[in-house]
Short mmCIF file of all heavy atoms in Angstrom, two decimals:
data_model
loop_
_atom_site.label_atom_id
_atom_site.label_comp_id
_atom_site.label_asym_id
_atom_site.label_seq_id
_atom_site.Cartn_x
_atom_site.Cartn_y
_atom_site.Cartn_z
N SER A 63 -49.48 -2.44 69.38
CA SER A 63 -48.51 -3.15 70.22
C SER A 63 -47.87 -4.31 69.45
O SER A 63 -47.37 -5.27 70.03
CB SER A 63 -49.21 -3.68 71.46
OG SER A 63 -50.31 -4.51 71.13
N SER A 64 -47.87 -4.22 68.12
CA SER A 64 -47.39 -5.31 67.30
C SER A 64 -45.87 -5.46 67.27
O SER A 64 -45.33 -6.48 66.88
CB SER A 64 -47.89 -5.15 65.86
OG SER A 64 -47.25 -4.02 65.25
N GLY A 65 -45.16 -4.38 67.64
CA GLY A 65 -43.70 -4.39 67.55
C GLY A 65 -43.15 -4.09 66.18
O GLY A 65 -41.95 -4.17 65.95
N THR A 66 -44.04 -3.72 65.27
CA THR A 66 -43.65 -3.38 63.90
C THR A 66 -44.24 -2.04 63.53
O THR A 66 -45.40 -1.75 63.81
CB THR A 66 -44.13 -4.44 62.91
OG1 THR A 66 -43.57 -5.70 63.25
CG2 THR A 66 -43.72 -4.08 61.48
N PHE A 67 -43.42 -1.20 62.90
CA PHE A 67 -43.87 0.09 62.37
C PHE A 67 -43.74 0.08 60.86
O PHE A 67 -42.63 0.18 60.34
CB PHE A 67 -43.07 1.25 62.96
CG PHE A 67 -43.32 2.57 62.31
CD1 PHE A 67 -44.54 3.20 62.50
CD2 PHE A 67 -42.37 3.17 61.52
CE1 PHE A 67 -44.81 4.43 61.89
CE2 PHE A 67 -42.61 4.41 60.92
CZ PHE A 67 -43.84 5.03 61.10
N PRO A 68 -44.84 -0.08 60.12
CA PRO A 68 -44.76 -0.02 58.65
C PRO A 68 -44.46 1.40 58.20
O PRO A 68 -45.17 2.34 58.58
CB PRO A 68 -46.16 -0.45 58.21
CG PRO A 68 -46.83 -1.04 59.41
CD PRO A 68 -46.21 -0.35 60.58
N TYR A 69 -43.42 1.55 57.39
CA TYR A 69 -43.09 2.90 56.93
C TYR A 69 -44.27 3.45 56.12
O TYR A 69 -44.76 2.80 55.21
CB TYR A 69 -41.83 2.86 56.02
CG TYR A 69 -41.14 4.17 55.88
CD1 TYR A 69 -40.06 4.49 56.70
CD2 TYR A 69 -41.54 5.10 54.94
CE1 TYR A 69 -39.40 5.72 56.57
CE2 TYR A 69 -40.91 6.34 54.84
CZ TYR A 69 -39.85 6.65 55.66
OH TYR A 69 -39.22 7.85 55.54
N PRO A 70 -44.74 4.64 56.46
CA PRO A 70 -46.01 5.15 55.91
C PRO A 70 -45.83 5.70 54.50
O PRO A 70 -44.73 6.09 54.07
CB PRO A 70 -46.41 6.24 56.88
CG PRO A 70 -45.10 6.79 57.36
CD PRO A 70 -44.19 5.59 57.47
N PRO A 71 -46.92 5.79 53.77
CA PRO A 71 -46.89 6.36 52.40
C PRO A 71 -46.82 7.88 52.42
O PRO A 71 -47.02 8.51 53.46
CB PRO A 71 -48.23 5.90 51.79
CG PRO A 71 -49.14 5.79 52.97
CD PRO A 71 -48.26 5.32 54.11
N GLN A 72 -46.48 8.44 51.28
CA GLN A 72 -46.52 9.90 51.05
C GLN A 72 -45.50 10.66 51.87
O GLN A 72 -45.63 11.86 52.12
CB GLN A 72 -47.92 10.46 51.34
CG GLN A 72 -49.04 9.83 50.53
CD GLN A 72 -48.83 9.99 49.03
OE1 GLN A 72 -48.36 11.03 48.56
NE2 GLN A 72 -49.19 8.96 48.26
N SER A 73 -44.44 9.99 52.36
CA SER A 73 -43.43 10.65 53.14
C SER A 73 -42.06 10.01 52.89
O SER A 73 -41.94 8.82 52.70
CB SER A 73 -43.73 10.54 54.63
OG SER A 73 -42.73 11.14 55.42
N GLU A 74 -41.02 10.86 52.92
CA GLU A 74 -39.64 10.41 52.82
C GLU A 74 -38.82 10.89 54.01
O GLU A 74 -37.58 10.82 53.97
CB GLU A 74 -39.01 10.92 51.51
CG GLU A 74 -39.67 10.36 50.25
CD GLU A 74 -39.59 8.83 50.15
OE1 GLU A 74 -38.60 8.26 50.67
OE2 GLU A 74 -40.49 8.23 49.55
N ASP A 75 -39.52 11.35 55.05
CA ASP A 75 -38.82 11.86 56.22
C ASP A 75 -39.64 11.59 57.49
O ASP A 75 -40.34 12.46 57.99
CB ASP A 75 -38.56 13.37 56.08
CG ASP A 75 -37.64 13.92 57.16
OD1 ASP A 75 -36.84 13.14 57.70
OD2 ASP A 75 -37.71 15.13 57.45
N VAL A 76 -39.57 10.36 57.96
CA VAL A 76 -40.36 9.92 59.11
C VAL A 76 -39.45 9.90 60.35
O VAL A 76 -38.40 9.26 60.33
CB VAL A 76 -40.97 8.53 58.88
CG1 VAL A 76 -41.75 8.07 60.10
CG2 VAL A 76 -41.88 8.58 57.66
N HIS A 77 -39.87 10.59 61.41
CA HIS A 77 -39.04 10.73 62.59
C HIS A 77 -39.59 9.95 63.77
O HIS A 77 -40.80 9.76 63.92
CB HIS A 77 -38.96 12.21 63.00
CG HIS A 77 -38.04 13.03 62.17
ND1 HIS A 77 -37.45 14.18 62.61
CD2 HIS A 77 -37.61 12.84 60.88
CE1 HIS A 77 -36.68 14.68 61.63
NE2 HIS A 77 -36.76 13.90 60.58
N HIS A 78 -38.66 9.53 64.63
CA HIS A 78 -39.02 8.89 65.91
C HIS A 78 -39.12 9.94 67.02
O HIS A 78 -38.38 10.94 67.02
CB HIS A 78 -37.95 7.87 66.30
CG HIS A 78 -36.54 8.44 66.34
ND1 HIS A 78 -36.09 9.27 67.35
CD2 HIS A 78 -35.51 8.29 65.47
CE1 HIS A 78 -34.84 9.61 67.12
NE2 HIS A 78 -34.45 9.03 65.98
#
Side-chain angles (χ1 to χ4, degrees):
S63 56
S64 68
T66 300
F67 172 70
Y69 200 96
Q72 304 300 322
S73 178
E74 296 299 329
D75 189 25
V76 178
H77 283 205
H78 54 74

